[in-house]
Amino acid sequence: MAERIFDEAFMKRLENLSVRFASPVTTSYGGGRRSNARGSTVEFYNFREYNQGDDFRRIDWNAYGRFGKFFIKLFLDERQLSVHLLADTSASMNFGEPTKHFAAMRLCAAFAYMSVRSQDRVSVMSLSGGGSVSVGGSVGSMPAVCRLLEQLEALTPEGETDLAASVKSVRDIRPGDGITVIFSDLMSEKGYKDAIDYLLYMHEQVVVVHILSPGETAPELEGQLRLTDSENGAFCELTAGTSSLAFYRQALDAYRKELEEYCMKRGVFLLSVRSDEDIAAILPSRGFRAGIIQ
Amino acid sequence: MEFLNPWGLLGLLAVPALVALYILKQKHKTLTVPSLLLWKKTQTLMEASTPWQKLKKNLLFFIQLCTVILTVLALARPAFSSSSVSDEIIVIVDSSGSMQAKDGSDGKTRFDRALEEVSDIADGMRSNQRLTVITAGSTVSPVISRADSKYEVKRALEKLECGFSSSDIQNAVLLAESMSDGMESCEIIVYTDSELLTGENGPTVVNVSKSRKNAAILSVSVSGNMALSVAESFGEEKNVTLELLCDGVLTDARKVTLEKESPLPVYWKDIPAGASLITVRIAGDDILDADNSLSASVGADDGKRVLIVSESGFFLEKVISAVTAFDIYKATPENYNADGGNGYDLCIFDGYVPSVLPESVPCWFIGPEEAPPGIVFGSSIKGTVLSPASSPLCRELGEYMNLSSVMIARFREILSSEGWENAFLCGKYPTVLAKKDGDRALVTIAFDIHDSNLPLLKEFPILIQNMVSYSLPVMTEGDGVYEIGYNLTVKRLAYSVSTEVICPGGEKLPLHITDADDTVLLSSPGVYRINQTLERKDADGTKRSVVSGYVISKLPSGESAMEGAGILEGNAQTEKNDRRGRIELWPYFAAAVLLLLTLEWWVYYRENKL
């Protein structure tokens, strides 16, 4: 029986974690996230002079006694956060042991679980072929999460992905309504920058989970090779050896560095994950250090 | 540039075949990767870091392509034609004895080196070029004339052998110049080891010698039990070991120092009695072997027997022992019996004529009381001085003699001398007569030598020597030592029925000298042995015997000294110039192909770690 992406043990290790959202939530639904709206929570925010039409019950009589004026106490409101989980399901994700796709689904499930526990609304989108497909719809409860998990497990990686086009095709994202997490290897010919820029343009807090397989971080190849791209069938020939692998590592390091700098400059949170790593261990450690998990 | 074998260019068809093979043979292991994004960047980095990476990938292909192209070019035999070389080339090759010197480190003789250079010229002949080869040895002989095929020239060169004689370069050049008359452009090249004086005009002289450090035995002579050899070293002082061989057996050896250009006499004592041939040789290596050994034959007259029948033959005995090495036997007329002369080589009857002459033995009758056979004596006449008769016999018996100094007191008048030939006259009367009775010589002196002043004159031994030569001719003239190239005349001995000459190499040459003398060309150094089989009849019947003589053939002294053969006007050339009319490039292409094949193996080895 294949390993499940989410089980009880995994769930228990995530129980005390939640996805960190840095700015106040601006959505209109009530939830568990602090927002700039004034509401009826117990958390005091400020005083304001009474205006005609205000509820008498909110007048602070102690302040009236001291100053002779009517003041009203304001309290913060808590709103529901929209969490958009965008999972790359292109063919390139189907590599590694376990596959990057498996790691992406596992992370996706973890983020969905943590978000629902924080009373956030989660939507999962499968990115493939320049488009996006909603997986499980909008999820806001644990039973819905369980259904989501089953649907995540049913996803198979295939086809080519144009990350930017796929991200732009997601209709659920409204400006400033929450956080968007991209699970991808970012190995797209057209790059990842347009996708991130688009999300930033939509005032989303962007989290990029960059997933690579061990075969990509430290390939063990030798001899005359014809390398075929898993997504578009393109190929290149090279003689793999000590020197060529050293150049590969150099190219990978440069790619990672460029990604880090790009994300840092734009306030995008980046979490680099290897597909064979323990996801449940990564989130409270590296995820916390990256400012993604709290 | 031209291609001598244009059909070879068809091999270029192999180039597209190779390209096709190379495309088909490429086998890459196909591997599917998530994305080529990083691998393409890797390729970019590799190409930027090592610009030759792409070439290196196809290095084997390029090497193989170059190999095929160069092989095809080699097969097509590209060649450059040199306009600086004349259309006609006449080559003179010195084939003298000194050209046999092995003075190079490669063990080749000078002659071989000269032939190699001629062969090189033949290899580079243009289609309109002609080559003539002349050898200059004892004689000048064209080997091949105006040949336009290198194979023809090479076949002729293969047959050439170097001689041992001296060379006649001047005549060879004269011949070459005569041949070049009428030719538009002709170059005469002389390959020689002689140090020739050169000038602006004339043939080009190529000196093929590298050293003239040579040691040689110049002469060997024997007298009694003593021998004398003279050795000399040319070009350097040299320590050598001289060996003495008697009839081929090593008898003595000496270590001597031969000073440069200074002949050194070496005496050898105690030559074994009975030795017929002694040889002195230089042991060890020398650049010229032909002059390292020289022989000498011990007296040819030794062992001959002469019988003098006389009452008092004192003068005769003395003079014969002085001019010959005969064994002399004496008898008186009283104890001489009828067949007493048989078995001797010469019988001298002084004042006596036997009733029966010995069979097949030359006889002299000196002052006989009775007339020899065929002669009728008259009375005794008072004589005067001797004078020559007008006959060939006079020139033979009177050679080197001053007949007018010989005075005769009296002699017997000869009334009749049928079959005899007059040699000397006294007045108008014949006094010395001779004839050949078959192979036997008969000489009659019609006066008693006591009645003349002959015993007091030098003409007496000369006359006796001439008579010995007439009666007992030797097979060869001179002292038996001749330089190579000499045409030796072999004379027929009396009663000879067959003659053969055994050359130094053991080859036997039969001579036909029954009727006349024959000649033998002495062409190689060493000992020529001449055997004549004599067949004599006596009272006991016919007896056969073999008389052997030795002739020593030696290298001309100039060849041993390796001196210049003469003076020749020409351009000296000490370094080898390229005289090829056509320079073929295929050897260079072939060498490049070998290098490329080695490089290909190395590249393949490195890439596949065999």
Side-chain angles (χ1 to χ4, degrees):
Chain A
M1 184 177 173
E3 189 181 0
R4 302 212 51 186
I5 61 171
F6 202 88
D7 52 24
E8 193 176 350
F10 186 61
M11 184 182 71
K12 282 183 179 176
R13 294 172 70 181
L14 300 175
E15 274 180 352
N16 296 322
L17 303 177
S18 67
V19 179
R20 179 173 172 269
F21 188 68
S23 21
V25 180
T26 58
T27 55
S28 52
Y29 299 104
R33 300 282 180 175
R34 189 173 63 88
S35 74
N36 285 333
R38 311 296 167 252
S40 55
T41 62
V42 295
E43 192 172 350
F44 173 77
Y45 174 67
N46 206 348
F47 290 99
R48 178 172 62 82
E49 281 191 70
Y50 175 78
N51 290 325
Q52 191 173 5
D54 286 338
D55 191 353
F56 292 144
R57 291 175 292 179
R58 297 197 175 199
I59 294 174
D60 187 347
W61 296 107
N62 292 328
Y64 177 75
R66 288 182 68 183
F67 300 109
K69 282 185 177 179
F70 293 114
F71 289 95
I72 289 178
K73 286 177 79 174
L74 298 177
F75 295 91
L76 289 175
D77 197 10
E78 287 186 335
R79 298 291 174 84
Q80 190 177 45
L81 179 66
S82 291
V83 178
H84 306 287
L85 303 178
L86 310 182
D88 181 0
T89 56
S90 64
S92 65
M93 295 295 285
N94 196 23
F95 285 84
E97 186 59 41
T99 62
K100 292 187 283 182
H101 175 74
F102 181 82
M105 292 303 106
R106 203 171 171 88
L107 281 162
C108 195
F111 271 83
Y113 175 74
M114 289 186 296
S115 299
V116 169
R117 272 181 56 85
S118 304
Q119 301 175 38
D120 299 331
R121 180 156 294 276
V122 176
S123 64
V124 178
M125 307 300 291
S126 164
L127 308 180
S128 180
S132 59
V133 177
S134 173
V135 181
S138 181
V139 176
S141 63
M142 278 302 161
V145 170
C146 292
R147 288 194 298 274
L148 173 68
L149 295 179
E150 289 175 359
Q151 292 186 29
L152 286 177
E153 284 180 338
L155 285 177
T156 52
E158 58 186 4
E160 189 177 3
T161 296
D162 180 350
L163 198 60
S166 296
V167 168
K168 286 175 184 173
S169 70
V170 177
R171 297 300 171 197
D172 289 350
I173 300 173
R174 291 178 178 79
D177 75 338
I179 181 169
T180 300
V181 185
I182 300 174
F183 304 95
S184 174
D185 56 5
L186 302 179
M187 294 292 180
S188 174
E189 291 287 340
K190 294 182 179 174
Y192 53 83
K193 294 177 182 173
D194 283 353
I196 292 173
D197 287 345
Y198 173 75
L199 292 173
L200 292 173
Y201 167 74
M202 296 295 284
H203 299 288
E204 287 286 297
Q205 177 180 315
V206 182
V207 175
V208 175
V209 181
H210 185 209
I211 307 169
L212 291 176
S213 66
E216 288 170 310
T217 54
E220 294 177 350
L221 305 178
E222 195 172 336
Q224 293 273 344
L225 297 174
R226 173 176 292 195
L227 302 177
T228 308
D229 193 305
S230 61
E231 294 187 4
N232 56 19
F235 65 88
C236 74
E237 292 170 351
L238 89 162
T239 305
T242 310
S243 61
S244 58
L245 292 181
F247 283 118
Y248 177 86
R249 280 191 290 276
Q250 190 179 336
L252 177 63
D253 292 343
Y255 184 77
R256 278 175 159 170
K257 188 177 179 184
E258 183 189 1
L259 176 63
E260 282 173 11
E261 287 178 354
Y262 186 83
C263 291
M264 189 179 290
K265 284 178 182 174
R266 286 160 180 77
V268 174
F269 297 94
L270 174 65
L271 178 63
S272 293
V273 175
R274 214 173 60 217
S275 65
D276 61 340
E277 288 182 307
D278 183 2
I279 302 297
I282 287 173
L283 289 175
S285 55
R286 284 174 15 212
F288 183 79
R289 284 199 298 275
I292 300 167
I293 303 298
Q294 60 183 10
Chain B
M1 192 171 78
E2 58 180 330
F3 291 101
L4 302 182
N5 178 28
W7 290 102
L9 293 175
L10 283 176
L12 286 175
L13 292 174
V15 173
L18 176 70
V19 174
L21 275 175
Y22 194 81
I23 291 170
L24 291 174
K25 90 175 178 67
Q26 279 196 328
K27 285 182 181 174
H28 287 91
K29 184 181 173 185
T30 302
L31 191 69
T32 304
V33 293
S35 172
L36 291 181
L37 187 69
L38 292 176
W39 289 110
K40 285 181 177 175
K41 289 183 177 178
T42 302
Q43 272 191 327
T44 309
L45 284 173
M46 287 168 72
E47 286 168 10
S49 159
T50 50
W52 297 102
Q53 190 67 25
K54 205 163 189 175
L55 180 63
K56 186 183 171 186
K57 183 181 166 186
N58 294 316
L59 190 56
L60 269 178
F61 169 69
F62 287 121
I63 291 172
Q64 288 165 357
L65 193 64
C66 289
T67 305
V68 169
I69 291 172
L70 288 176
T71 305
V72 168
L73 287 175
L75 288 173
R77 292 176 59 197
F80 285 113
S81 293
S82 172
S83 57
S84 62
V85 181
S86 304
D87 290 339
E88 296 275 355
I89 297 178
I90 300 177
V91 173
I92 298 170
V93 181
D94 183 354
S95 62
S96 62
S98 57
M99 289 290 281
Q100 299 215 25
K102 296 176 182 175
D103 55 353
S105 57
D106 52 0
K108 292 179 179 175
T109 65
R110 296 171 177 177
F111 189 72
D112 291 339
R113 283 202 295 275
L115 291 190
E116 280 177 4
E117 294 204 19
V118 178
S119 184
D120 284 347
I121 294 174
D123 280 333
M125 281 171 64
R126 295 193 301 265
S127 54
N128 60 341
Q129 210 172 17
R130 286 182 167 76
L131 182 63
T132 301
V133 181
I134 298 171
T135 56
S138 58
T139 58
V140 175
S141 53
V143 177
I144 192 162
S145 180
R146 301 194 73 194
D148 55 0
S149 161
K150 71 173 183 180
Y151 303 107
E152 197 180 344
V153 175
K154 288 193 171 188
R155 275 197 299 274
L157 292 180
E158 282 172 6
K159 294 174 186 171
L160 279 186
E161 287 183 359
C162 188
F164 292 93
S165 63
S166 53
S167 59
D168 193 356
I169 298 284
Q170 282 86 353
N171 273 338
V173 172
L174 282 176
L175 175 62
E177 285 174 347
S178 300
M179 294 171 86
S180 67
D181 284 346
M183 294 177 182
E184 282 189 4
S185 66
C186 177
E187 184 179 13
I188 299 173
I189 308 168
V190 182
Y191 289 97
T192 181
D193 58 352
S194 302
E195 294 172 0
L196 303 173
L197 290 182
T198 58
E200 286 298 322
N201 300 317
T204 302
V205 180
V206 181
N207 194 324
V208 292
S209 67
K210 293 184 177 177
S211 166
R212 61 181 294 262
K213 296 173 182 175
N214 178 42
I217 304 292
L218 299 183
S219 68
V220 177
S221 59
V222 186
S223 178
N225 65 346
M226 295 274 290
L228 169 66
S229 63
V230 179
E232 186 170 355
S233 177
F234 303 95
E236 64 170 354
E237 184 180 290
K238 195 170 184 180
N239 294 317
V240 297
T241 301
L242 299 180
E243 295 176 344
L244 174 72
L245 295 92
C246 295
D247 290 331
V249 178
L250 183 62
T251 308
D252 199 355
R254 305 265 179 85
K255 279 193 173 182
V256 296
T257 300
L258 300 179
E259 292 181 7
K260 182 180 174 184
E261 321 290 350
S262 176
L264 177 71
V266 177
Y267 293 94
W268 305 87
K269 296 177 181 175
D270 302 326
I271 303 297
S276 57
L277 189 72
I278 68 160
T279 303
V280 178
R281 71 181 180 195
I282 297 171
D285 292 333
D286 191 36
I287 64 168
L288 187 58
D289 294 332
D291 58 4
N292 287 353
S293 171
L294 191 61
S295 301
S297 63
V298 181
D301 292 338
D302 290 359
K304 286 187 175 173
R305 290 149 37 103
V306 59
L307 175 66
I308 301 174
V309 181
S310 172
E311 289 290 350
S312 57
F314 176 76
F315 291 126
L316 278 172
E317 182 184 347
K318 288 296 178 188
V319 76
I320 285 174
S321 63
V323 300
T324 70
F326 293 165
D327 295 335
I328 298 173
Y329 297 86
K330 291 193 293 185
T332 58
E334 289 74 25
N335 57 17
Y336 176 80
N337 54 31
D339 57 350
N342 291 328
Y344 291 95
D345 295 289
L346 175 65
C347 286
I348 302 173
F349 298 101
D350 182 19
Y352 168 73
V353 176
S355 54
V356 179
L357 295 181
E359 286 276 347
S360 307
V361 178
C363 297
W364 295 354
F365 307 104
I366 299 172
E369 292 293 333
E370 298 172 3
I375 294 178
V376 178
F377 276 164
S379 58
S380 180
I381 299 174
K382 186 178 180 183
T384 57
V385 296
L386 279 181
S387 61
S390 58
S391 67
L393 182 65
C394 174
R395 285 194 293 275
E396 192 171 352
L397 293 184
E399 191 175 18
Y400 308 122
M401 286 182 67
N402 180 14
L403 292 179
S404 60
S405 63
V406 180
M407 304 291 292
I408 301 171
R410 64 185 65 84
F411 63 97
R412 293 294 295 270
E413 181 187 6
I414 295 174
L415 300 174
S416 168
S417 59
E418 189 178 351
W420 291 77
E421 190 176 357
N422 296 337
F424 306 143
L425 303 175
C426 187
K428 61 179 182 178
Y429 302 103
T431 50
V432 177
L433 306 91
K435 74 169 183 178
K436 290 285 186 180
D437 180 18
D439 280 334
R440 178 172 66 168
L442 298 175
V443 179
T444 298
I445 298 177
F447 57 88
D448 187 345
I449 57 173
H450 298 93
D451 293 335
S452 71
N453 61 349
L454 260 179
L456 306 176
L457 300 175
K458 63 179 175 50
E459 273 68 20
F460 188 39
I462 296 173
L463 174 64
I464 295 300
Q465 178 62 57
N466 291 343
M467 288 168 63
V468 167
S469 298
Y470 176 76
S471 305
L472 297 171
V474 291
M475 288 185 282
T476 57
E477 297 172 342
D479 56 0
V481 180
Y482 306 92
E483 289 189 347
I484 295 169
Y486 180 76
N487 268 314
L488 176 71
T489 300
V490 180
K491 293 183 176 178
R492 178 181 178 274
L493 297 179
Y495 310 107
S496 170
V497 291
S498 67
T499 305
E500 68 175 3
V501 176
I502 302 172
C503 299
E507 183 189 359
K508 290 182 179 178
L509 302 174
L511 295 183
H512 304 284
I513 55 174
T514 308
D515 299 325
D517 298 339
D518 204 348
T519 57
V520 175
L521 175 65
L522 303 180
S523 58
S524 54
V527 179
Y528 285 75
R529 179 171 178 164
I530 304 171
N531 292 333
Q532 288 204 24
T533 304
L534 309 183
E535 197 173 270
R536 299 186 193 215
K537 291 179 181 175
D538 57 14
D540 299 330
T542 303
K543 288 183 180 176
R544 274 182 171 255
S545 61
V546 176
V547 177
S548 295
Y550 295 100
V551 171
I552 314 302
S553 172
K554 70 170 192 175
L555 210 63
S557 56
E559 299 301 313
S560 295
M562 299 188 178
E563 294 166 344
I567 297 172
L568 190 68
E569 293 290 319
N571 303 310
Q573 179 190 312
T574 53
E575 293 181 0
K576 182 179 179 180
N577 283 349
D578 201 341
R579 305 196 167 279
R580 291 174 294 178
R582 185 169 57 207
I583 301 167
E584 288 201 38
L585 302 177
W586 72 264
Y588 306 105
F589 285 115
V593 166
L594 283 177
L595 274 177
L596 282 174
L597 287 175
T598 309
L599 182 64
E600 186 203 8
W601 177 84
W602 181 73
V603 171
Y604 187 81
Y605 178 85
R606 272 185 53 122
E607 288 189 358
N608 293 279
K609 304 285 183 193
L610 289 174

mmCIF file of all heavy atoms in Angstrom, chain A residues 7-29:
data_model
loop_
_atom_site.group_PDB
_atom_site.id
_atom_site.type_symbol
_atom_site.label_atom_id
_atom_site.label_comp_id
_atom_site.label_asym_id
_atom_site.label_seq_id
_atom_site.Cartn_x
_atom_site.Cartn_y
_atom_site.Cartn_z
ATOM 1 N N ASP A 7 -1.157 11.279 7.722
ATOM 2 C CA ASP A 7 -1.676 10.267 8.648
ATOM 3 C C ASP A 7 -1.761 10.861 10.046
ATOM 4 O O ASP A 7 -1.441 12.040 10.273
ATOM 5 C CB ASP A 7 -0.804 9.017 8.613
ATOM 6 C CG ASP A 7 0.662 9.331 8.818
ATOM 7 O OD1 ASP A 7 0.956 10.390 9.417
ATOM 8 O OD2 ASP A 7 1.533 8.557 8.377
ATOM 9 N N GLU A 8 -2.104 10.059 10.961
ATOM 10 C CA GLU A 8 -2.356 10.561 12.308
ATOM 11 C C GLU A 8 -1.089 11.072 12.983
ATOM 12 O O GLU A 8 -1.080 12.125 13.612
ATOM 13 C CB GLU A 8 -2.989 9.449 13.168
ATOM 14 C CG GLU A 8 -3.568 9.956 14.462
ATOM 15 C CD GLU A 8 -4.267 8.843 15.233
ATOM 16 O OE1 GLU A 8 -4.455 7.748 14.644
ATOM 17 O OE2 GLU A 8 -4.614 9.065 16.395
ATOM 18 N N ALA A 9 -0.038 10.339 12.780
ATOM 19 C CA ALA A 9 1.227 10.753 13.401
ATOM 20 C C ALA A 9 1.690 12.092 12.839
ATOM 21 O O ALA A 9 2.148 12.977 13.585
ATOM 22 C CB ALA A 9 2.287 9.690 13.129
ATOM 23 N N PHE A 10 1.528 12.211 11.555
ATOM 24 C CA PHE A 10 1.916 13.463 10.902
ATOM 25 C C PHE A 10 1.031 14.606 11.427
ATOM 26 O O PHE A 10 1.520 15.707 11.700
ATOM 27 C CB PHE A 10 1.756 13.277 9.381
ATOM 28 C CG PHE A 10 2.248 14.434 8.572
ATOM 29 C CD1 PHE A 10 3.570 14.838 8.618
ATOM 30 C CD2 PHE A 10 1.378 15.156 7.753
ATOM 31 C CE1 PHE A 10 4.015 15.901 7.871
ATOM 32 C CE2 PHE A 10 1.816 16.224 7.021
ATOM 33 C CZ PHE A 10 3.142 16.597 7.076
ATOM 34 N N MET A 11 -0.224 14.284 11.600
ATOM 35 C CA MET A 11 -1.163 15.298 12.052
ATOM 36 C C MET A 11 -0.804 15.772 13.460
ATOM 37 O O MET A 11 -0.817 16.969 13.751
ATOM 38 C CB MET A 11 -2.578 14.714 12.052
ATOM 39 C CG MET A 11 -3.664 15.694 12.419
ATOM 40 S SD MET A 11 -5.260 14.891 12.436
ATOM 41 C CE MET A 11 -5.126 13.871 13.886
ATOM 42 N N LYS A 12 -0.429 14.813 14.291
ATOM 43 C CA LYS A 12 -0.112 15.183 15.670
ATOM 44 C C LYS A 12 1.082 16.111 15.750
ATOM 45 O O LYS A 12 1.165 16.991 16.590
ATOM 46 C CB LYS A 12 0.147 13.916 16.494
ATOM 47 C CG LYS A 12 -1.140 13.203 16.899
ATOM 48 C CD LYS A 12 -0.838 12.007 17.781
ATOM 49 C CE LYS A 12 -2.157 11.339 18.196
ATOM 50 N NZ LYS A 12 -1.908 10.115 18.965
ATOM 51 N N ARG A 13 2.028 15.901 14.850
ATOM 52 C CA ARG A 13 3.234 16.736 14.892
ATOM 53 C C ARG A 13 2.939 18.154 14.396
ATOM 54 O O ARG A 13 3.740 19.061 14.576
ATOM 55 C CB ARG A 13 4.324 16.094 14.033
ATOM 56 C CG ARG A 13 4.787 14.760 14.613
ATOM 57 C CD ARG A 13 5.717 14.040 13.682
ATOM 58 N NE ARG A 13 7.013 14.679 13.576
ATOM 59 C CZ ARG A 13 7.990 14.236 12.795
ATOM 60 N NH1 ARG A 13 7.790 13.153 12.065
ATOM 61 N NH2 ARG A 13 9.132 14.872 12.753
ATOM 62 N N LEU A 14 1.804 18.343 13.782
ATOM 63 C CA LEU A 14 1.468 19.675 13.264
ATOM 64 C C LEU A 14 0.473 20.417 14.158
ATOM 65 O O LEU A 14 0.084 21.548 13.847
ATOM 66 C CB LEU A 14 0.868 19.556 11.851
ATOM 67 C CG LEU A 14 1.750 18.914 10.780
ATOM 68 C CD1 LEU A 14 0.973 18.760 9.479
ATOM 69 C CD2 LEU A 14 2.997 19.765 10.538
ATOM 70 N N GLU A 15 0.073 19.760 15.233
ATOM 71 C CA GLU A 15 -1.046 20.293 15.995
ATOM 72 C C GLU A 15 -0.788 21.695 16.542
ATOM 73 O O GLU A 15 -1.664 22.534 16.570
ATOM 74 C CB GLU A 15 -1.390 19.346 17.147
ATOM 75 C CG GLU A 15 -2.347 18.260 16.703
ATOM 76 C CD GLU A 15 -2.708 17.320 17.831
ATOM 77 O OE1 GLU A 15 -2.100 17.420 18.907
ATOM 78 O OE2 GLU A 15 -3.591 16.480 17.608
ATOM 79 N N ASN A 16 0.402 21.968 16.932
ATOM 80 C CA ASN A 16 0.689 23.261 17.548
ATOM 81 C C ASN A 16 1.211 24.294 16.568
ATOM 82 O O ASN A 16 1.731 25.335 16.962
ATOM 83 C CB ASN A 16 1.698 23.084 18.687
ATOM 84 C CG ASN A 16 1.129 22.225 19.796
ATOM 85 O OD1 ASN A 16 -0.060 22.334 20.106
ATOM 86 N ND2 ASN A 16 1.954 21.350 20.350
ATOM 87 N N LEU A 17 1.146 24.013 15.315
ATOM 88 C CA LEU A 17 1.707 24.931 14.318
ATOM 89 C C LEU A 17 0.578 25.614 13.543
ATOM 90 O O LEU A 17 -0.518 25.050 13.376
ATOM 91 C CB LEU A 17 2.590 24.172 13.336
ATOM 92 C CG LEU A 17 3.748 23.371 13.932
ATOM 93 C CD1 LEU A 17 4.477 22.629 12.831
ATOM 94 C CD2 LEU A 17 4.705 24.299 14.672
ATOM 95 N N SER A 18 0.894 26.789 13.084
ATOM 96 C CA SER A 18 -0.049 27.465 12.193
ATOM 97 C C SER A 18 0.723 28.311 11.209
ATOM 98 O O SER A 18 1.887 28.671 11.435
ATOM 99 C CB SER A 18 -1.016 28.352 13.000
ATOM 100 O OG SER A 18 -0.283 29.418 13.587
ATOM 101 N N VAL A 19 0.043 28.625 10.169
ATOM 102 C CA VAL A 19 0.700 29.435 9.134
ATOM 103 C C VAL A 19 0.698 30.882 9.604
ATOM 104 O O VAL A 19 -0.311 31.407 10.044
ATOM 105 C CB VAL A 19 -0.055 29.311 7.800
ATOM 106 C CG1 VAL A 19 0.601 30.159 6.735
ATOM 107 C CG2 VAL A 19 -0.105 27.858 7.365
ATOM 108 N N ARG A 20 1.900 31.466 9.493
ATOM 109 C CA ARG A 20 2.040 32.845 9.973
ATOM 110 C C ARG A 20 1.610 33.804 8.871
ATOM 111 O O ARG A 20 2.006 33.647 7.712
ATOM 112 C CB ARG A 20 3.495 33.102 10.361
ATOM 113 C CG ARG A 20 3.763 34.502 10.844
ATOM 114 C CD ARG A 20 5.189 34.617 11.361
ATOM 115 N NE ARG A 20 5.522 35.981 11.643
ATOM 116 C CZ ARG A 20 6.074 36.816 10.778
ATOM 117 N NH1 ARG A 20 6.388 36.387 9.572
ATOM 118 N NH2 ARG A 20 6.334 38.055 11.128
ATOM 119 N N PHE A 21 0.811 34.781 9.281
ATOM 120 C CA PHE A 21 0.413 35.824 8.336
ATOM 121 C C PHE A 21 0.799 37.158 8.955
ATOM 122 O O PHE A 21 0.370 37.508 10.043
ATOM 123 C CB PHE A 21 -1.105 35.764 8.084
ATOM 124 C CG PHE A 21 -1.561 36.673 7.002
ATOM 125 C CD1 PHE A 21 -1.209 36.451 5.667
ATOM 126 C CD2 PHE A 21 -2.346 37.785 7.300
ATOM 127 C CE1 PHE A 21 -1.652 37.314 4.669
ATOM 128 C CE2 PHE A 21 -2.776 38.645 6.290
ATOM 129 C CZ PHE A 21 -2.426 38.404 4.973
ATOM 130 N N ALA A 22 1.597 37.883 8.308
ATOM 131 C CA ALA A 22 2.232 39.049 8.913
ATOM 132 C C ALA A 22 1.287 40.243 9.034
ATOM 133 O O ALA A 22 1.277 40.943 10.042
ATOM 134 C CB ALA A 22 3.452 39.430 8.079
ATOM 135 N N SER A 23 0.471 40.513 8.051
ATOM 136 C CA SER A 23 -0.351 41.733 8.075
ATOM 137 C C SER A 23 -1.810 41.412 8.498
ATOM 138 O O SER A 23 -2.229 40.267 8.401
ATOM 139 C CB SER A 23 -0.337 42.396 6.711
ATOM 140 O OG SER A 23 0.012 41.520 5.705
ATOM 141 N N PRO A 24 -2.514 42.394 8.890
ATOM 142 C CA PRO A 24 -3.892 42.159 9.310
ATOM 143 C C PRO A 24 -4.748 41.680 8.155
ATOM 144 O O PRO A 24 -4.551 42.092 7.007
ATOM 145 C CB PRO A 24 -4.363 43.551 9.776
ATOM 146 C CG PRO A 24 -3.133 44.321 10.029
ATOM 147 C CD PRO A 24 -2.108 43.805 9.122
ATOM 148 N N VAL A 25 -5.695 40.847 8.521
ATOM 149 C CA VAL A 25 -6.558 40.296 7.495
ATOM 150 C C VAL A 25 -7.639 41.312 7.142
ATOM 151 O O VAL A 25 -8.154 42.022 8.017
ATOM 152 C CB VAL A 25 -7.201 38.984 7.988
ATOM 153 C CG1 VAL A 25 -8.104 38.382 6.927
ATOM 154 C CG2 VAL A 25 -6.124 38.003 8.379
ATOM 155 N N THR A 26 -7.946 41.337 5.851
ATOM 156 C CA THR A 26 -8.913 42.345 5.413
ATOM 157 C C THR A 26 -10.196 41.719 4.893
ATOM 158 O O THR A 26 -11.011 42.402 4.280
ATOM 159 C CB THR A 26 -8.297 43.232 4.325
ATOM 160 O OG1 THR A 26 -7.893 42.410 3.256
ATOM 161 C CG2 THR A 26 -7.156 44.045 4.862
ATOM 162 N N THR A 27 -10.286 40.415 5.065
ATOM 163 C CA THR A 27 -11.501 39.791 4.542
ATOM 164 C C THR A 27 -12.699 40.154 5.411
ATOM 165 O O THR A 27 -12.559 40.663 6.524
ATOM 166 C CB THR A 27 -11.359 38.261 4.523
ATOM 167 O OG1 THR A 27 -11.028 37.819 5.830
ATOM 168 C CG2 THR A 27 -10.299 37.839 3.545
ATOM 169 N N SER A 28 -13.844 39.796 4.900
ATOM 170 C CA SER A 28 -15.058 40.205 5.600
ATOM 171 C C SER A 28 -15.639 39.097 6.466
ATOM 172 O O SER A 28 -16.529 39.348 7.271
ATOM 173 C CB SER A 28 -16.124 40.661 4.596
ATOM 174 O OG SER A 28 -16.307 39.672 3.620
ATOM 175 N N TYR A 29 -15.123 37.855 6.298
ATOM 176 C CA TYR A 29 -15.651 36.756 7.090
ATOM 177 C C TYR A 29 -14.947 36.693 8.425
ATOM 178 O O TYR A 29 -13.748 36.925 8.504
ATOM 179 C CB TYR A 29 -15.474 35.413 6.371
ATOM 180 C CG TYR A 29 -16.217 35.370 5.048
ATOM 181 C CD1 TYR A 29 -15.532 35.493 3.866
ATOM 182 C CD2 TYR A 29 -17.624 35.229 5.030
ATOM 183 C CE1 TYR A 29 -16.207 35.478 2.659
ATOM 184 C CE2 TYR A 29 -18.296 35.223 3.830
ATOM 185 C CZ TYR A 29 -17.601 35.329 2.650
ATOM 186 O OH TYR A 29 -18.253 35.328 1.456
#
